[in-house]
Amino acid sequence: MTGTKGRTPTLGVVVLTMGDRPTELRALLDSVAAQDGEPATVVVLGQGVALPALPDGVAGVELPENLGIPGGRNAGVEWLRESGGVDVVVVLDDDGRLPHKDTFGLVREAFTDNPGLGVVGFRIADETGASQRRHVPRLGGKDPLVSGPVTTFLGGGHAIRMRVIDQVGDFPAPFFYAHEETDFAWRVLDAGWDIDYRADMVLQHPRTAASRHAVYYRNTGRNRVWLAKRHLPAVLVPVYLATWAAYTIAQRPPLSGLAAWWAGFFEGVRTPCPPRRPMRWRTVWRMTRLGRPPVL
């Protein structure tokens, strides 16, 4: 694989918004504008809502409806692709902020130094600098301050080489919300690219619970099944689903949440989400060596 080694990659930034965080959105865009180096191409997409006034130089696209997280990101990537000249796509949550001015410089450096790098995941930290366990893409959420290769990345702050998107395809729009990053990451790894977690690339983000989203339990259950059906070798599908069912029960969610999770699970069993392209056993072994076999 070849990347952008030998020249500095150009960056494009995608931000999705539901229109309910104008103050936070402005703070994020100001932090993007404050980054050192060449300015990035920035597009904000309103998910079926009117956009607030945006700073000069920031493009705005008002989508006719809420396409969900993966669908909205796909629309943003397509806009950047049509604008031309973007080597790396940076995706940021609209209620986040880049507290350090060298983050985009570190992104450019990472993709320049490693032509095989497909995705970089940022460290998500609250205003105190602490990272929630669920925001560390390693089993057990171990040591958020340690960078290294991983098997997935966080949706709130990450960067993807445009050539990787061209090769492996878009985020899975039918997922709407939950596990779209894992679906994309498994395809990236199966295509032979690297995924790195970088503790020095920080997105400051309010401390939140994933279950704040109304569709969290249902979509989590459904999309786990779709993920397995799309990408795992057949023998691993029941193992993966049994593992996550046991984990979900062990977390002792509220009864309403557990009922929604099981409803989503069986919806995923009943309904297809093509295409089915099982990963190679070589990829299974690679993920196992990285500390997260695709059954956990």
Side-chain angles (χ1 to χ4, degrees):
M1 283 171 294
T2 60
T4 55
K5 194 170 181 64
R7 67 177 179 85
T8 302
T10 55
L11 305 187
V13 178
V14 171
V15 180
L16 305 181
T17 186
M18 295 294 293
D20 55 346
R21 299 167 176 164
T23 302
E24 293 88 342
L25 175 61
R26 185 59 186 245
L28 169 67
L29 296 176
D30 288 346
S31 73
V32 168
Q35 292 295 299
D36 296 333
E38 289 294 316
T41 301
V42 183
V43 60
V44 177
L45 297 99
Q47 293 270 54
V49 297
L51 290 172
L54 299 173
D56 291 342
V58 174
V61 176
E62 295 180 352
L63 300 172
E65 61 181 309
N66 181 1
L67 299 179
I69 293 174
R73 288 180 187 157
N74 293 341
V77 169
E78 184 58 29
W79 189 93
L80 290 175
R81 186 182 283 116
E82 291 177 357
S83 73
V86 171
D87 297 313
V88 175
V89 178
V90 179
V91 177
L92 301 171
D93 272 2
D94 67 344
D95 56 345
R97 186 178 69 86
L98 299 172
H100 308 305
K101 294 183 178 181
D102 65 345
T103 301
F104 283 4
L106 293 172
V107 169
R108 292 185 178 99
E109 182 181 86
F111 284 99
T112 300
D113 290 348
N114 180 5
L117 181 61
V119 183
V120 167
F122 294 4
R123 178 165 67 91
I124 309 295
D126 63 22
E127 61 276 3
T128 72
S131 297
Q132 293 177 254
R133 180 175 174 176
R134 68 184 180 89
H135 284 159
V136 183
R138 290 187 286 257
L139 282 179
K142 297 178 181 176
D143 204 341
L145 298 181
V146 174
S147 302
V150 290
T151 63
T152 190
F153 58 95
L154 300 175
H158 61 268
I160 306 173
R161 196 186 297 273
M162 182 67 88
R163 285 191 61 247
V164 171
I165 302 174
D166 293 339
Q167 179 180 352
V168 308
D170 291 339
F171 284 95
F175 280 39
F176 195 82
Y177 163 79
H179 306 314
E180 63 274 358
E181 294 91 8
T182 302
D183 182 280
F184 188 85
W186 285 6
R187 284 181 278 138
V188 169
L189 292 171
D190 201 45
W193 296 90
D194 298 333
I195 301 174
D196 281 355
Y197 167 75
R198 288 286 296 266
D200 54 345
M201 300 178 188
V202 180
L203 181 76
Q204 186 174 304
H205 188 281
R207 180 171 286 264
T208 56
S211 57
R212 70 191 185 279
H213 297 288
V215 296
Y216 170 75
Y217 289 109
R218 173 181 168 273
N219 281 25
T220 296
R222 182 195 65 188
N223 293 356
R224 284 285 182 199
V225 181
W226 281 354
L227 185 66
K229 287 165 65 173
R230 281 162 62 93
H231 298 301
L232 289 182
V235 70
L236 295 184
V237 172
V239 180
Y240 179 85
L241 297 181
T243 298
W244 278 104
Y247 174 82
T248 300
I249 294 170
Q251 296 305 299
R252 302 178 66 182
L255 288 178
S256 60
L258 188 59
W261 190 91
W262 280 112
F265 183 94
F266 288 114
E267 179 188 351
V269 171
R270 292 192 311 270
T271 59
C273 187
R276 171 161 171 75
R277 293 174 182 162
M279 67 176 64
R280 297 169 296 175
W281 283 104
R282 181 169 65 184
T283 304
V284 173
W285 176 235
R286 180 186 182 192
M287 293 175 67
T288 302
R289 294 200 319 272
L290 288 172
R292 189 157 196 165
V295 293
L296 298 174

